[in-house]
C-alpha cells in the first residue's frame, strides 16, 4: 500500500496497484522502491479522496473507452454507471478533478472529465454555453453579427 497526502494534509491509503493508474505516482514508485507516501501539494483532500475512489474502482474494472466525438450528452450513455455517477458534480469540482487528473497523469480520468465537459457543450448555442459556464460575451451585438457574416459558410 501507499499513502497519498493532500494539500490540506489529509491522508488516503490505496494499493500500489490501483495507485499505478497515475503515471505521476507510478514513476515516483519506480524511482524509489521504498516510497510509502506521496505528497500532492496542489490538490485538496476532497478531490484526492474522489480520485482514490476512482482508482480503487478501476483497479478491477477497466474504464470503458469513450467514443469521440461523444454521441450523447448523457454520461450514462457513454460510460459505466460508476463513472457516470462519479461525474455528477458541480462545475468547480468537475474542473478540479480535470486539473488533478492532468497533474497526476491519470489518462482515463482525464478523458472521463473531458467527456463530461463535452457533454455540457454538446448541442448548445454559444449563448447557452456562455450561460452554462458563466462566460461574459466579448463582442457587441454588431461585432457578433459581423463575425457571423464573415464565417457564415462555416457556421451553416
Amino acid at each position: 500500500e501507499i499513502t497519498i497526502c493532500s494539500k490540506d494534509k489529509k491522508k488516503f491509503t490505496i494499493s500500489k496497484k490501483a495507485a499505478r493508474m497515475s503515471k505521476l505516482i507510478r514513476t515516483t514508485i519506480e524511482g524509489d522502491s521504498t516510497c510509502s507516501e506521496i505528497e500532492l501539494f496542489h490538490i485538496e483532500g476532497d478531490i484526492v479522496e474522489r480520485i482514490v475512489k476512482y482508482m480503487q474502482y478501476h483497479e478491477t474494472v477497466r474504464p470503458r473507452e469513450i467514443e469521440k466525438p461523444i454521441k450523447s450528452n448523457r454520461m450514462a450513455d457513454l460510460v459505466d454507471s460508476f463513472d457516470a455517477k462519479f461525474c455528477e458534480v458541480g462545475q468547480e469540482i468537475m474542473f478540479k478533478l480535470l486539473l488533478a487528473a492532468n497533474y497526476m497523469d491519470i489518462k482515463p480520468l482525464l478523458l472521463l472529465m473531458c467527456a463530461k465537459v463535452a457533454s455540457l457543450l454538446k448541442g448548445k448555442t454559444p449563448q447557452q454555453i456562455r450561460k452554462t459556464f458563466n462566460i461574459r460575451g466579448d463582442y457587441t451585438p454588431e461585432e457578433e453579427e459581423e463575425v457571423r457574416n464573415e464565417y457564415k459558410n462555416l457556421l451553416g
Side-chain angles (χ1 to χ4, degrees):
E1 293 193 326
I2 192 160
T3 301
I4 301 174
C5 186
S6 69
K7 172 183 182 176
D8 44 356
K9 305 297 181 209
K10 292 179 183 168
K11 294 185 178 202
F12 305 91
T13 303
I14 185 172
S15 74
K16 283 190 177 181
K17 182 181 180 214
R20 291 174 68 78
M21 182 176 262
S22 162
K23 194 172 179 184
L24 173 75
I25 294 175
R26 185 170 60 244
T27 53
T28 303
I29 293 169
E30 288 170 358
D32 178 5
S33 58
T34 64
C35 180
S36 62
E37 188 169 301
I38 304 272
E39 292 214 30
L40 299 173
F41 301 106
H42 310 298
I43 306 172
E44 297 157 2
D46 62 326
I47 301 300
V48 174
E49 182 177 14
R50 289 172 187 271
I51 291 171
V52 164
K53 286 178 182 169
Y54 177 88
M55 291 191 296
Q56 287 170 328
Y57 174 77
H58 285 295
E59 179 178 4
T60 56
V61 179
R62 186 180 174 140
R64 199 163 118 191
E65 191 169 327
I66 302 168
E67 283 186 62
K68 293 177 242 39
I70 62 169
K71 305 285 186 241
S72 168
N73 56 4
R74 281 182 13 104
M75 291 304 290
D77 296 338
L78 307 173
V79 295
D80 72 17
S81 60
F82 175 89
D83 284 352
K85 189 155 181 58
F86 184 87
C87 288
E88 288 176 11
V89 295
Q91 280 186 34
E92 184 180 354
I93 290 175
M94 175 185 69
F95 284 116
K96 285 181 178 182
L97 285 166
L98 193 151
L99 292 170
N102 186 51
Y103 174 75
M104 293 177 70
D105 203 350
I106 307 171
K107 189 170 182 186
L109 179 55
L110 180 61
L111 292 173
L112 176 66
M113 298 318 297
C114 286
K116 174 62 179 177
V117 172
S119 76
L120 296 174
L121 300 172
K122 186 170 180 60
K124 291 197 172 165
T125 65
Q127 290 78 11
Q128 291 169 320
I129 292 168
R130 281 192 203 106
K131 186 175 181 191
T132 299
F133 293 104
N134 280 325
I135 300 169
R136 183 177 52 83
D138 289 338
Y139 292 116
T140 65
E142 295 78 23
E143 291 170 326
E144 210 167 294
E145 187 59 36
E146 186 181 320
V147 170
R148 276 183 225 269
N149 288 335
E150 191 174 336
Y151 296 102
K152 64 182 166 209
N153 59 332
L154 296 175
L155 300 172

